[in-house]
Amino acid sequence: RLRPALASLDPARLARIGELCRRLDGLPLAIELAAAHVEALGIDALLAQVAGQLLRLGTADADRSLTRHRTLQATLDWSHALLDADERVVLRRLAVFRGRFGLESAVQVAVDGQLDTARAMDAVLGLATRSLLTVEASRGAVDYRLLESTRAYALARLAEAGEVRQVLHRHAAECRDRLGHADVGGLTTGTSRIWADRHGHLVDDMRAALDWAVSEDGDPRLAAEIVMAAMPLAGRLTLMNEFGDRLRQVIGAL
């Protein structure tokens, strides 16, 4: 995203870009978040806004790791403030995903009575443009994911909004549906690895969904549906021992 600014190789502009990277402590995510706004704001305005945000938080500290944490926190706060209302809502709701997810999955988790499908889709695409969602393209499919630091930030916003239970419920239902579509019928030795690459990332979301579904605030019947839908995946990924334990846990919750 910085290439347009670098194209002229103007020494003064390069110096300002270097200053921006220095102020962001060289953190790749912080630089990526800032760079997403270069075209809209320009280097000078971007540097001024980032510098002002960091100054308000006060990043000077003897502890280097604490300084870097504050720098990233300040950059995330600044980037979050530039989002529109729908993008803020969708970002915090997508934080429940542990792995990568498609646009359809994102919409299923994000949409509720206040946010419709079209607005949710626009928000997902906007978040990707602003580098708050990482885009992963493979075998003709486009998936999204949140970096852990962004995800932790968004989870805090989700808790502040008081939406944790309802969003986790939608995530668990979406996880059940995705597992149900991970068809293992007709797999051969040659296609098994491709299938595992395509669906193996569901494991972390599946575990998170089950952990919530059997919790005090969860839904034991949904937990049972998830376990049943996940059995083919568990078999392909040699997780049957774990799923025996999961099944006993679900029965106990029921």
Side-chain angles (χ1 to χ4, degrees):
R1 295 183 190 279
L2 286 172
R3 284 176 184 169
L6 292 170
S8 67
L9 298 179
D10 174 69
R13 177 177 285 185
L14 287 174
R16 291 192 292 276
I17 293 172
E19 174 66 10
L20 176 63
C21 294
R22 185 189 68 78
R23 285 183 177 273
L24 294 174
D25 245 359
L27 292 168
L29 176 58
I31 293 170
E32 178 71 14
L33 291 174
H37 300 284
V38 168
E39 293 184 14
L41 299 176
I43 288 294
D44 291 335
L46 184 63
L47 179 57
Q49 290 198 24
V50 169
Q53 181 72 15
L54 295 175
L55 183 63
R56 283 192 293 274
L57 248 71
T59 58
D61 197 282
D63 187 334
R64 182 65 173 169
S65 63
L66 181 57
T67 298
R68 290 169 67 85
H69 172 76
R70 287 176 174 172
T71 298
L72 184 56
Q73 176 74 26
T75 309
L76 285 165
D77 283 339
W78 170 78
S79 191
H80 185 264
L82 295 177
L83 301 177
D84 65 32
D86 286 349
E87 289 169 342
R88 293 179 191 180
V89 169
V90 172
L91 176 64
R92 68 179 182 243
R93 292 176 180 176
L94 296 185
V96 296
F97 284 105
R98 299 295 182 90
R100 66 181 190 266
F101 51 89
L103 182 58
E104 183 179 347
S105 297
V107 167
Q108 185 173 341
V109 168
V111 166
D112 64 1
Q114 306 301 316
L115 183 70
D116 63 26
T117 297
R119 287 165 54 195
M121 291 178 66
D122 287 343
V124 171
L125 298 177
L127 292 170
T129 299
R130 291 162 177 74
S131 296
L132 285 162
L133 286 179
T134 298
V135 180
E136 298 183 349
S138 177
R139 294 186 177 88
V142 175
D143 286 330
Y144 304 92
R145 69 180 178 89
L146 283 83
L147 298 179
E148 282 303 310
S149 50
T150 308
R151 182 174 174 272
Y153 181 90
L155 280 173
R157 305 289 81 77
L158 184 67
E160 289 174 0
E163 296 180 336
V164 173
R165 187 185 187 282
Q166 52 267 46
V167 176
L168 285 176
H169 191 280
R170 291 200 297 272
H171 171 256
E174 188 281 328
C175 187
R176 173 202 59 200
D177 295 344
R178 269 200 293 172
L179 289 165
H181 294 146
D183 184 18
V184 298
L187 281 182
T188 65
T189 302
T191 60
S192 182
R193 176 171 293 183
I194 296 174
W195 184 92
D197 289 342
R198 184 174 299 167
H199 300 292
H201 69 277
L202 294 175
V203 171
D204 287 338
D205 275 309
M206 171 190 64
R207 287 169 174 153
L210 283 172
D211 287 341
W212 173 80
V214 299
S215 70
E216 184 176 345
D217 291 331
D219 183 338
R221 291 186 179 277
L222 181 54
E225 294 171 1
I226 294 171
V227 167
M228 296 306 296
M231 282 300 181
L233 180 70
R236 281 286 169 180
L237 300 180
T238 64
L239 297 173
M240 292 306 292
N241 286 339
E242 175 184 342
F243 267 75
D245 294 337
R246 290 284 188 176
L247 184 57
R248 285 186 286 272
Q249 187 180 23
V250 169
I251 290 171
L254 287 169

